[in-house]
Amino acid sequence: MGSAGSKYRVHEVAKDFGVPTKQITEILTQYAQTPKNHMQVLEDAELSVIFEYLTQHNQIASIVEIFAEGAAPGEKKKEEPAPQPAPEAEKKSAPAAEASGGAGAAKSPEKKPKAEHTQPASRVPQTKVVDTRKAANVNLDKYDERLQDMAEGRNARMGGGRRDQQVQGKEKFRNSRQRQQGTFGANKRRQEEADRMRRLQLEIIKKTPVTVQIPDEISVGELASRMKKTGAEVVKCLMKNGVLASLSQMIDFDTAAIIAEEMGCRVEKEVVVTIEEQLIDDHQDAEEDLVPRAPVVVVMGHVDHGKTSLLDYIRNSHVASGEAGGITQHIGAYQVQVNGKPITFLDTPGHEAFTSMRARGAMVTDIAILVVAAEDGIMPQTIESINHAKAAEIPIIVAINKMDKPEANPERIKQQLTEYGLVCEEWGGDTIVCPISAKTGMGVDTLLEMLTLTAEVGELKANPNRAAQGTVIEARLDKGRGPVATLLVQNGTLKQGDIIIAGTGVGRVRAMIGDQGQRITSAGPSVPVEITGLSEAPSAGATFNAVADEKLARELVEQRKAEEKAKANAPVTKVSLEDLFSQIQAGEMKNLNLIVKADVQGSVEAVRSSLEKISNDEVRVRVIHGGVGAINESDVMLAATSQAIIVGFNVRPDNAARDSAARSNVDMRMYRVIYDAINEIEAAMKGMLSPKFRELLLGHAEVRQTYKVSGVGTVAGCYVTDGKVQRKDCQVRLVRDGIVVHEGVLASLQRFKDSVKEVVAGYECGLSIEKFNDIKEGDVIEAFTMEEIQQ
């Protein structure tokens, strides 16, 4: 049959079969599609219909008749080799060969199909062959010549041959070509079928939306890759939605989901399960699983207002008889029973430890007791304690202590408390105020009752039937026992033998000691306990969790250590007053480190105390080093490693320090008046520092000789060591042994006898300073100008 390139027309088929064109047209009309005219090229399917029809309607009695008619008298019949079974795709072409023979035999012996160009003696190949070559005019002579040569060569080798062998060879060649053409047509149909299936699959894929998994954040390029789109398409879609983003830029889940849905994708939230999530059970407890727990109380207040005395009295009067009060001290926390109800006290060293825990996000306390001395009233640390407790959003109970003293004035304290938003219940507020005496025990029982009442109002509950979790109160390294940690269980129950993970420490609980020094095997919610068995001492305020899988726990610890190491090795952001407020806002600054250098020791101490007083809730100002004399390179190195700002009073940096500060990006601030420094640093901490000018250093000149000139004063003969000295808008600073002696402006600048605008490095000059004559050989004149900063 015809291939994709062959053209087998209606009239050619009729001619080959020896039937009228009209008959072929009728067959096609009845079983396929009516052809437009007799010149129409037929498809494989149409040819198959014609061949099948002619085969069915032109049956012969026996195949023997064909062979009998074709045999010539006296010629030896040779049996054709049995035809090979046709492949599945060629089954349609098999009836065609029979139709050819059947039609010719049924009509008349005279009408033979004219598919062959030559007419050999045997009829069998003539009646069975239908020519389906691509090219209409194939030159068969060259093939005949080739076959002739092959046959002659064979005859020569075999000792002669017959003419019928040559004919037989040609016939075999033709049959082979026909089989190849039939196979080619079948392969073509198979290929077309496969292509059609592929197109169908592509259409189905196009109609089925792509499912895209999107995490909390994803880059534009990664989103395009997951959606099987180009980056340009995604960027274009983002721009339509008012988002300008490059391929590497990160976008949030909501934006990515909108874009993906617009581009015909189905969105799913990608859930990344970390080791921490696999390991630590943080599900919310059901209401029916919760039971009441003891409140956790911290005692705060100013120094020497009676915090320790109050804790000692409570501990000594409410622990079991026969137990020494001192035993409880080292564990850092203990429980007391008030009317059969337990209260847990944290024995922490004042409000600083409380603040550090709050800063780490460890909300360990439920109630704060604010101790105020009756004769002193509200003091600076009392105010800090109030602010810390308010920031932690925990209720405050005020205990006015030292009521046994004759000068005690509780009413004045109540008045002072109102200034900080603490109004006592007697005056219509909601703050509980209890007058007590830690020395005599007066009012302490009332205070404890108020604690239990406040705890009941807060409805403090926990679930003891789950894996323990809580906070590290304190930790230390014991010589005999190794790392020892005091834990406060906040939820669940901690048992001996549990695997726990605390910060970067992991291990199995080997021993548990209670608040009274007794060995215990389990600790429920709000129970303080000292444990051994951790791999290292965790930091105070770290969260601990009891886990089931020790291998995963160790993996998590290694991961945390790697994160800490990466954080430590990260490039350090240098501190400057300009960006101080932004770093405070970002939570990157907890301490503002300063290095103070001054001309005399008294100034150093005065500056240190003044600057440290301007600490606030967010930032604590720390003077990490103070010294006398010029700012040197070691000061700059210390500032670079500790992220400090150098503050100088009446001193200047030497050349090595100046170069080192420029390389290390250390901020150096020079002042003449202490109040300028305080005001500037306070303004920077509040985000209000907006300097309009900055100092631009021009150069340095060394005084080599001095002259007294009448009417002018002292003229200095100088050598410019670096930069330049200019006459216009130039201010100068006279530095002697690193100490600033004078600051003023140039009165004159000359080279030889001529006034000049500027003198550059490597040249000598003469200069005088306006209204200043105390210039000595060896002094350094520093030239600078004030440059306006563009806002």
Side-chain angles (χ1 to χ4, degrees), residues 632-658:
N632 54 40
E633 195 170 7
S634 65
D635 296 328
V636 176
M637 286 172 65
L638 178 60
T641 53
S642 57
Q643 296 189 61
I645 295 172
I646 298 176
V647 177
F649 282 86
N650 294 327
V651 294
R652 301 297 300 167
D654 58 29
N655 289 337
R658 192 181 300 109

Side-chain angles (χ1 to χ4, degrees), residues 285 287 289-294 455 458-463 490-491 525:
D285 293 304
E287 190 64 35
D289 296 334
L290 299 175
V291 296
R293 65 172 175 84
E459 292 186 343
L460 305 171
K461 293 183 177 180
N463 176 14
Q490 291 175 284
N491 205 6

